[in-house]
Amino acid sequence: MNTTKHWPKRALILSRALSRAFSDTPSPTFPLKHVTRSNFDSALSELRSHVRAADFVAIDMEMTGVTSAPWRESFEFDRFDIRYLKVKDSAEKFAVLQFGVCPFRWDSLNQSFIAHPHNFFVFPRQEIPLDRTTSYEFLCQTTSMDFLAKYQFDFNACINEGISYLSRGQEYEARKRLTSLNKDQLTNLSLDLRETTDLPLVRVADVLFTERMKKRLSEWRDELLQNRAGGAQDQGTPNDLNQQFQTVFFKMRPALSLNGFTSHQLSLIRMVTRIHFKDLAYIHCNGESTSEEFVVYTDSESDKDRLVEEVRNDYQRRAEMKINDAVGFRHVIDLLSSENKLIVGHNCILDIAHIHSKFLGPLPLTAEEFVSCVNKYFPRIIDTKILLNADYTLQRKMKKSSTSLSSAFSSLCPEIAYGSKRSVLSHEPCVKVEVHVGEMRSSNWNSGAKHEAGYDAFMTGCVFAQACSHLGVDFQLHSASGNLTQNEKLQKHMNLLYLSWINGDIIDLRTGNRTEELLGSNIIRKRFRPILFKNIVLLWGFPSRLKPSMIRDCICKAVGSTSVISIYRIDQTAVFVQFSKAELVSDFLNLKETLEQSNDAISVLHPLSQLLEGGNTRTASYETYKEICASPISKVLFADQAEAVGIKWKTELLPSSKEESQENNSFHLESSAVDTPEAFEKSKIRKKEDSSKQKLCDDIIDSFIKAEKIRRSTNL
């Protein structure tokens, strides 16, 4: 038999069998619980039990943007406190559209983690009336929105069915306001029942209307009493064709529902009821969207008092329900905080800032206050990006690839990322994870929807579990004790977050202090020379055609060839200038101010004239940069931002320079006061002015000569 002849057929059969083996196992989509307003209550109840049983909870968010202006990006020249201000600005300006929560529980029987990924759609809808000045506004960054659309983000579900929320501060204000409104309503109710002042009946129509209402109420009450005596109940009002009166029950009492009356007519009915019918009570009730008016029959004065108390309790209960409903998604945040679980995120400083801003209260002005509040509500946080960059073993496992979430997930968890049949590609065992969503149980699936918060939270938890495994954490041991956070290998990484990934700055949530990257990190970052903030000048408003290299040449020609270490561009309207010495900062600022105050033709030839062209060039110290960054205003261009903040000066002199200037002015005034003859005084002032002008010209000429000598020596 010729086997060669049948080889292609056998190969095809084998290929199809292998293909089926690899393709039949994964489920079509990743099991993920999507949560909107319609199923929030039931989902919250399930999540509560999952979080209580969890060893840790992974979180992630999708936002409408990251930076409100290009100059608010994180820069190399940003000081530690300014980096926090930029994080603060982002969290305050942009909205959270999705919030992913994924509790992980170790299953000792199957030696695997059980994950419960939840994907919450969130939208800041105003469910209850707050302060009139309060409105929900947020920015949308086009690149971020385009990014979400690229990954099929469901904007309709978010806006129409997203879960609203109140922060703790907003809830407190809402309770105060609703309590005040309820108190006013109850006061009006008591006045309606007890007030004896008559409403003046000026018009004939009012007199006729009150008489007709008195007759109608009397007939209804008499008919009601007769029916009660006869054991029957008349449920309708056939004589009222317009259905303005309808017999109903209110708080288990017979009542008339009043419909179709004007507010003035209702006031007259209220007066008639109060004055002429001791056993009837007028009740006004605010519904969800409309108000209702009733005339209620009561058996006695004590029954009327009970009715008032019942209405009061009903008002209070409905107010509480409104507020609890309006708290919305913050119930999830309160759950995570109250259960005191380990919270795991990936590069999550901005996520934590959003949690504070949206659900706890306004962000503090300083990083120290911020971490104090965060540590109070979430005392155990781990950033997987810190974990990955702090251990050589994990870095080798990552094969020097990016530590982005998707890259880390693919490198550390290939079996989870690509399905169990891809385990042949992995040489090391992977921590097993099984996903439970409702009645669905799955350990094999196709890749989920990346950049969907619920799936990203799941990826974050898987990366953390795999990283713990590489670090030698025994899940079996810690699951029994229920305290994974006590592991010594995790303790040194806990409560450390990257304040700026670009710079490698880490903030310690326990102290608020800046911490260097751990020694295990072998990341090579592009760095400038060591930054001395006292040597930095902020420069903006210069002609747009000037590039950083041209600005550097202008300053070096005027101050010295080695005076400038570096120029860092903030945007097209502003730069940082770092001088080699602190005294050069004062020299440059004084020279700039002198040139701007002079109108001599020779100043036009000065090297700095190109920089000062147009008269809009501004300079300031690094502290002014902090003041501008701290402002809630966000203009696109830095020069416009500085103007909007209120920076009016052209040159901000250092304190020492200001003192010298004040001393010179003081001396000038004192010496002028001594010379009493007016002619002599004017002559002396003119001489001083001429002397100042001559000195200015001499200084400018000297700077030219100095610059020329430097240029020649450089050429030689």
Side-chain angles (χ1 to χ4, degrees), residues 92-159:
E92 291 173 339
K93 295 282 198 316
F94 296 99
V96 175
L97 299 182
Q98 263 188 357
F99 199 113
V101 180
C102 189
F104 282 75
R105 175 178 63 84
W106 177 253
D107 184 355
S108 57
L109 183 62
N110 296 315
Q111 295 291 295
S112 66
F113 273 106
I114 297 176
H116 302 273
H118 290 68
N119 191 53
F120 292 88
F121 284 93
V122 182
F123 192 75
R125 192 179 298 100
Q126 192 169 17
E127 299 286 358
I128 59 174
L130 295 171
D131 188 352
R132 292 181 180 179
T133 61
T134 302
S135 60
Y136 288 109
E137 297 178 352
F138 57 86
L139 297 182
C140 291
Q141 196 171 1
T142 54
T143 52
S144 296
M145 303 302 283
D146 183 60
F147 177 83
L148 292 175
K150 177 183 176 183
Y151 287 94
Q152 291 82 47
F153 184 88
D154 194 341
F155 290 99
N156 285 328
C158 178
I159 296 173

Side-chain angles (χ1 to χ4, degrees), residues 420-487:
S420 61
K421 292 298 182 182
R422 293 290 298 271
S423 61
V424 294
L425 302 177
S426 178
H427 301 291
E428 297 183 19
C430 181
V431 176
K432 295 180 180 179
V433 178
E434 185 175 333
V435 176
H436 289 193
V437 175
E439 299 299 324
M440 183 184 298
R441 306 286 188 272
S442 179
S443 57
N444 300 314
W445 48 78
N446 289 329
S447 180
K450 293 180 181 178
H451 306 295
E452 196 163 34
Y455 185 70
D456 286 359
F458 169 75
M459 288 198 298
T460 300
C462 291
V463 168
F464 173 69
Q466 194 63 41
C468 288
S469 177
H470 283 290
L471 292 174
V473 176
D474 187 345
F475 298 120
Q476 186 74 18
L477 176 64
H478 290 286
S479 180
S481 64
N483 206 345
L484 185 63
T485 59
Q486 297 303 315
N487 185 278

Side-chain angles (χ1 to χ4, degrees), residues 350-366:
L350 187 55
D351 294 342
I352 300 301
H354 270 288
I355 289 176
H356 193 300
S357 175
K358 305 295 186 296
F359 309 114
L360 301 182
L363 284 164
L365 294 177
T366 65

